[in-house]
Amino acid sequence: MRKRIKLYTDGACAGNPGIGGWSCVHYDAENNTIWDAYTGGEETYMEGHLIQKKETTNNRMEIMALLKALELAATKYKDCDVIIYCDSSYVVNTFNEWIFNWARNNWINSSKEQVKNLDLILKLYEYAKKEFPNYGVYKIAGHNNEIGNELADAYAVAERSGNASKLAKILKENNITLAIE
């Protein structure tokens, strides 16, 4: 039997648009352990050095978080069954339903406009169209005390703001073990 992995994703944005952050967390509730945590945002670099964080949207951050989870499912966790949880209805519906219609309609949505965030949507499509993938993307309610989702939110907020106090509080209150590789 293949090992089952649960990844939780989230995006955060201070304003919309505004400075954003995303995260993808491998949280194992059975062992109360974080095995992996990845974060990022939209940034400008020059000669390898961060110059500034760029304004972005919450949807872009949510999509970037899902892309990281899909990348991990296809590489690091390719021999596992991967359940990816996301609290964004827009992103879950995009991945599981809308993206196929958009592709058939040359990336035009139901409002007869070009799909927003097309650069990221095209990357999502490469994962969505795979036959027999080892992953599935599922909606989870946000801010409902589901520890995996709360951790993903806290990591995304920390990436966006540079303030990890919310993350530290969740880790301490829940006695979570960090086993990040």
Side-chain angles (χ1 to χ4, degrees), residues 11-168:
C13 206
N16 202 14
I19 301 300
W22 59 263
S23 73
C24 174
V25 179
H26 173 190
Y27 173 66
D28 177 357
E30 189 174 310
N31 295 302
N32 199 34
T33 301
I34 297 173
W35 294 102
D36 277 316
Y38 298 88
T39 64
E42 294 220 56
E43 292 131 355
T44 302
Y45 289 89
M46 183 180 288
E47 297 178 11
H49 300 286
L50 175 65
I51 301 299
Q52 69 180 14
K53 290 192 175 244
K54 294 178 8 183
E55 284 204 343
T56 188
T57 63
N58 195 68
N59 283 343
R60 285 187 71 79
M61 294 296 92
E62 295 278 0
I63 294 168
M64 291 173 84
L66 177 56
L67 282 168
K68 184 60 180 183
L70 293 165
E71 174 193 319
L72 289 169
T75 57
K76 184 172 186 174
Y77 302 125
K78 68 179 186 248
D79 295 325
C80 303
D81 292 323
V82 182
I83 300 167
I84 301 170
Y85 291 111
C86 177
D87 65 8
S88 168
S89 294
Y90 167 75
V91 172
V92 173
N93 289 334
T94 291
F95 187 80
N96 290 325
E97 298 174 35
W98 302 338
I99 204 165
F100 303 104
N101 290 332
W102 293 343
R104 278 191 296 276
N105 294 323
N106 202 25
W107 307 107
I108 302 297
N109 65 23
S110 61
S111 298
K112 308 296 183 214
E113 299 171 342
Q114 182 176 13
V115 171
K116 292 182 180 175
N117 304 309
L118 187 57
D119 59 325
L120 300 177
I121 297 296
L122 291 172
K123 293 175 185 178
L124 276 183
Y125 185 61
E126 292 304 311
Y127 291 102
K129 69 182 183 179
K130 290 189 179 197
E131 289 190 39
F132 311 111
N134 66 318
Y135 48 82
V137 178
Y138 302 93
K139 173 76 172 86
I140 190 170
H143 309 289
N144 68 344
N145 295 321
E146 162 63 47
I147 298 298
N149 180 257
E150 295 296 326
L151 287 166
D153 177 70
Y155 272 105
V157 168
E159 175 65 31
R160 179 205 69 195
S161 67
N163 183 343
S165 60
K166 180 179 180 180
L167 176 60

